[in-house]
Amino acid sequence: MEKTEKGMLARSVAGHDQNRLYIIIRAEDEYVWLADGKLRPLEKPKKKKRKHVQIIHRIPESIRGQLENGKTLRDEEIKQAIQSESRKMAGG
């Protein structure tokens, strides 16, 4: 099993937010905390069981850069990274 890290993408597979992309803000054994910068800002992340998300073991470059430089993530950056990744996954 691959390690889950802060900054990785995750797709909800269950619940009213099914198929929505998020960025993992925090990860523990059974739960992950997710933010999308819009409906779920950093101040109010979504707590979700791991079995209800598909973890995409990839960190968007813009997010990776922020984390490696020790900078604090902002909602706007998360929102842009998710939009960019959504376009890539859709093939456009």
Side-chain angles (χ1 to χ4, degrees):
M1 186 166 92
E2 289 188 62
K3 185 179 171 204
T4 303
E5 297 179 36
K6 179 178 180 175
M8 284 184 173
L9 293 164
R11 182 182 304 280
S12 174
V13 294
H16 70 279
D17 62 346
Q18 189 171 4
N19 292 324
R20 183 179 288 273
L21 265 181
Y22 292 99
I23 297 285
I24 296 173
I25 301 305
R26 186 170 138 209
E28 288 182 3
D29 291 338
E30 193 176 343
Y31 293 97
V32 289
W33 281 259
L34 310 166
D36 67 1
K38 215 179 338 184
L39 297 173
R40 284 294 174 174
L42 287 165
E43 302 83 49
K44 206 175 155 192
K46 173 91 174 152
K47 181 181 178 185
K48 212 157 171 80
K49 287 191 173 188
R50 282 181 185 259
K51 68 181 182 181
H52 294 153
V53 297
Q54 172 192 12
I55 295 173
I56 302 164
H57 293 275
R58 185 172 76 242
I59 300 175
E61 284 305 312
S62 57
I63 300 295
R64 181 185 305 278
Q66 293 285 49
L67 294 174
E68 286 175 353
N69 292 328
K71 294 183 179 173
T72 306
L73 290 176
R74 295 188 352 246
D75 288 323
E76 188 61 35
E77 294 159 347
I78 288 175
K79 195 173 8 176
Q80 288 174 351
I82 289 173
Q83 287 174 349
S84 174
E85 291 297 322
S86 292
R87 284 193 293 275
K88 284 181 192 174
M89 289 177 182

